[in-house]
Amino acid sequence: MKIIVNAEPREVTNETLEDALTELEFTSPAIATALNGSFVPREDYSETSLSEGDRLEVLAPMQGG
């Protein structure tokens, strides 16, 4: 299915947020996600279903100075 990830169209085969994040190689434990504008807690990833056209934002902390 096609979803929008960080403003870029992406194709994913997995239907849960947890599996899609792994498929998209977002494997760091230090990420935050929002699905269609709503924050999704990490403990809900495995129960959160994705649908065609969903908008997923994945945020990760940046290091630097």
Side-chain angles (χ1 to χ4, degrees):
M1 89 184 85
K2 188 179 286 187
I3 63 173
I4 307 298
V5 180
N6 294 342
E8 297 287 330
R10 300 288 298 267
E11 190 74 31
V12 294
T13 58
N14 292 288
E15 295 183 5
T16 67
L17 178 56
E18 181 176 59
D19 293 338
L21 287 170
T22 300
E23 179 180 349
L24 295 165
E25 299 182 358
F26 290 108
T27 56
S28 171
I31 62 170
T33 60
L35 184 61
N36 299 320
S38 297
F39 172 73
V40 180
R42 180 173 305 282
E43 59 268 15
D44 293 346
Y45 287 1
S46 64
E47 300 170 6
T48 301
S49 297
L50 298 175
S51 299
E52 183 79 23
D54 276 349
R55 300 184 69 79
L56 175 63
E57 296 294 325
V58 182
L59 306 171
M62 295 182 67
Q63 294 181 357

